[in-house]
Each structure stands twice: as C-alpha cells, then as structure tokens.
Amino acid sequence: MLILGIESSCDETAASVCEFTEQGEKRILSSAVASQIEIHRLYGGVVPEIAGRAHSEAICPIVTEALESAGKTIDDIDAIGVTSCPGLIGALLVGVSFAKSLAFSTGKPLVPVNHIKGHIAANYFVYPELKPPFLAIVVSGGHTSIIDVRSYTDFVTIGRTRDDAAGEAFDKVGRVMGLYYPCGAEMDKLASIGDKSAYKFPSAAIGDDTLDFSFSGMKTAVLNTLNTLAQKNESYKKEDIAASFTDAFTSSVCKKLDQALKRTGYKTLVLAGGVSANSHLRSAVTELCAKRKVTFCCPPLSLCGDNGAMIASQAYYEFLDGNLADTDLNASAVAE
Ligand code: KG4
Ligand code: ZN
C-alpha cells in the first residue's frame, strides 16, 4: 500500500510517499521538506505564529512535490497520515486541516499520528528486523522521553524531561555563545575539537528512583559560567564549553538509559529525534549498548530531523490497527 505522510508540528513542512508491501518491505519513494530555519533564525528560535503562516504557504507545494517525485498521483494513495500531536498548535492545525480536506475530497482513510511515535518509526525503514517490544529514547527540540515501546502502536513513557527538552538546551547554550539557531549541529562540531574536561557542568540525570531528566539546571550552569566569564572580562573557547556541555549531556542520557535497560530488561534500544544526529551521543550510546550486549538502532542523519516518511511509517501501523480518524479530527499541543 502507498501512504502519504504529512508533518507540520514545528518548523518543517514535510510530506512523503512511502510504500509498504505485504512481504513487510518499506520504501521511501519521496521525501519533501520545506524548512523554516532561515525565517526563525532571525528571532533565535521558532516563533509559533510565523511557523503556522509558513506551513500554510508551503503545504500545497510540498505535498505536490512529494507526489510528483514519487511518480504518483493522489489517486494512487491508499491512506493519508498526518501528525496530529504533540507540537505547536498553530503549526499542527495547518497539516491536520490540509490532511482532513484531502481525505474528505478523495474519500481516502485519514490516520492521525503522534509525532514522537513517528520519530521512533523512522527506524523501521533502516532496520527491517526491528520489532517491538524495545526501549526507545526520543531526544528532539521539543521532547525528551524514554519510552517502553510495547507494540507498534502501544507506547508507555517511562521517563521524560521535567523542564527543557534536550535540543532546547543545545539551542540555548549555542545562542548565548553567538551561534545561529538551531545550534545543535554547530555545537556537535565544536565539541569535537574542544576539551570536555575544561568545565564541570551538573548532570541532568536526577535521582536514582526516576527515569526523568532536568536539563534546566545544566543549561543554567552553562549560562552562569558564561556570564561570570563575561563579567570578569575573561575569554573562553566556545569549543571547550560545547565539549563540556555535550559531555554532561551524553553522560546524563547514558545514565538514565542504563537504568531504563536494567529496569525493563530490554535487549534492543532505539535512539530517535533531531538530537539523535549528535555524533557524541551516538557513540556514547553505541558504547553503552556494546557493554550491555544490547542491539542499538538509530536512524541515518536524513531521518533524524522532522520528515514526512517517519509519519507515513507510523501511519502504516496505526492503519493496520484500525486507528483511523473522522473529519472531526483535531490537533493537540500535548501527546494524546
Ligand atoms: O526532531 P527535531 O527536528 O524537531 C523537533 O521535533 O523538535 O529536532 C530539532 C532539534 C534542534 O533543537 C536542533 O538543535 C537539534 O535537534 N539538533 C542537534 C543536532 N542536530 C539537530 N542537537 C545536537 N546535536 C546535533 N548534531
Ligand atoms: Zn521532531
């Protein structure tokens, strides 16, 4: 079957046509993304109203591009998947309203998709042998959650951030050092050439009896260090801050993942979301999994950030489970 996946939860308008065969093969036929990064860069972060307006402009051309580059027309599509939660409400509503209209006018089934589940489902394209149950962590600009993936559609969040998301912390620290939004990729490069022992930042892995994180303390410690250095008129190396912050970040994540693996007993771990592109995180989690004899999966860089294929992938399993929506589908800023 062919699924059109539509994503508009934050600052990327994306659409993709994917094919799912009865033999279990999954293929991405097209993946079109209109990024709003240049627009939001001026403000140092995503401005929700501007995001909604930019999605509205981009959605028709992006869906058309996805269909055309897959060599398909809307008549070939068997179901329409759309991100309905969580995310910026004005942004989500554009994709949801568009997908509802398309489903209404064509009579195609409409499949609502949870964005976080979509990030995890991106992995099914590259790991055909990956099957629930398994442990997953989604680290992105808006979310940081450790998830017990019980089946393709049944997920239980067993740990989450109590304040900032991981990507948000990367972006804020980078912004204070004068990097351009979104700062994650640049922070990653700087960290590779910096001294990770230059500064000691607090862990985001709070307590031993919880799988929750708190990134605000770690972020504030970095910002205080930068303020103190500025007040004393002392210079610093951006790469040392980036390396020390990244080290505190990766060891916090690894500590909680180690706890979660022990608690659940799972032997497969999936890393997903925009921050899963971080090279230091990928190698630290690879090492942890090797030590624990756990199979490690994480998507290629092209599928780490927001895209339509991950939504089509999750929509496929929701469709098989009969989780369809009527035309009264609404978007929700929080996970449902
Ligand atoms: O998943 P995503 O594209 O959007 C949300 O759903 O939030 O994640 C975007 C986030 C941004 O905060 C960006 O700075 C971060 O992912 N990011 C990274 C890297 N590449 C992107 N963070 C750390 N290291 C990277 N290499
Ligand atoms: Zn995302």
Side-chain angles (χ1 to χ4, degrees):
M1 73 181 291
L2 289 179
I3 299 189
L4 170 67
I6 299 174
E7 155 64 31
S8 74
S9 68
C10 189
D11 58 354
E12 253 106 34
T13 320
S16 165
V17 175
C18 298
E19 185 178 21
F20 303 87
T21 69
E22 277 173 19
Q23 293 72 39
E25 288 156 344
K26 303 167 182 74
R27 271 189 290 275
I28 301 172
L29 303 188
S30 66
S31 184
V33 181
S35 174
Q36 304 173 8
I37 281 175
E38 293 301 326
I39 306 172
H40 299 293
R41 189 162 272 172
L42 285 171
Y43 307 94
V46 180
V47 182
E49 184 182 330
I50 296 176
R53 289 170 186 271
H55 283 304
S56 190
E57 268 176 38
I59 192 108
C60 281
I62 277 296
V63 170
T64 306
E65 188 185 326
L67 287 168
E68 283 179 1
S69 52
K72 305 291 176 192
T73 70
I74 191 66
D75 293 338
D76 300 317
I77 299 296
D78 298 298
I80 300 162
V82 64
T83 307
S84 59
C85 73
L88 300 172
I89 193 68
L92 286 164
L93 280 168
V94 175
V96 166
S97 301
F98 182 90
K100 285 206 294 188
S101 311
L102 198 56
F104 180 67
S105 59
T106 57
K108 312 271 178 194
L110 176 66
V111 191
V113 172
N114 175 312
H115 182 82
I116 298 175
K117 292 182 178 181
H119 271 300
I120 295 170
N123 283 276
Y124 298 130
F125 289 113
V126 275
Y127 298 101
E129 68 290 356
L130 175 66
K131 288 186 175 59
F134 55 79
L135 185 71
I137 179 162
V138 176
V139 273
S140 75
H143 322 281
T144 305
S145 305
I146 298 180
I147 297 163
D148 178 352
V149 181
R150 296 185 173 180
S151 76
Y152 287 107
T153 55
D154 181 18
F155 291 41
V156 177
T157 301
I158 55 175
R160 58 170 64 77
T161 179
R162 294 189 182 174
D163 37 59
D164 293 345
E168 214 177 336
F170 270 94
D171 292 338
K172 279 188 188 157
V173 168
R175 201 167 68 197
V176 172
M177 294 201 294
L179 309 184
Y180 289 116
Y181 170 85
C183 314
E186 186 65 23
M187 289 278 286
D188 192 347
K189 281 192 208 139
L190 284 172
S192 303
I193 52 165
D195 173 8
K196 64 180 184 186
S197 56
Y199 301 92
K200 179 92 191 106
F201 296 126
S203 174
I206 43 171
D208 287 333
D209 54 342
T210 170
L211 295 173
D212 286 356
F213 297 96
S214 168
F215 288 104
S216 84
M218 180 190 281
K219 177 199 71 187
T220 308
V222 184
L223 303 189
N224 286 343
T225 301
L226 292 171
N227 279 338
T228 310
L229 288 166
Q231 276 164 6
K232 290 190 195 158
N233 229 355
E234 281 178 28
S235 64
Y236 66 91
K237 288 185 179 161
K238 286 181 190 173
E239 55 267 36
D240 288 349
I241 297 280
S244 304
F245 169 79
T246 303
D247 188 52
F249 167 74
T250 53
S251 40
S252 307
V253 171
C254 286
K255 185 173 173 197
K256 287 295 159 199
L257 287 179
D258 199 23
Q259 261 176 264
L261 285 167
K262 273 191 208 133
R263 193 189 282 189
T264 58
Y266 284 140
K267 287 289 170 201
T268 301
L269 173 66
V270 166
L271 179 63
V275 183
S276 69
N278 189 276
S279 60
H280 310 277
L281 180 64
R282 288 164 93 102
S283 49
V285 180
T286 303
E287 210 175 291
L288 170 74
C289 288
K291 209 162 77 188
R292 295 258 163 261
K293 298 197 169 31
V294 164
T295 304
F296 176 50
C297 303
C298 73
L301 295 187
S302 59
L303 287 175
C304 286
D306 294 344
N307 63 84
M310 69 186 211
I311 302 306
S313 179
Q314 184 60 25
Y316 172 66
Y317 295 104
E318 301 291 349
F319 178 87
L320 293 183
D321 273 8
N323 298 331
L324 306 184
D326 282 326
T327 42
D328 61 355
L329 172 67
N330 213 335
S332 166
V334 293
E336 283 190 326

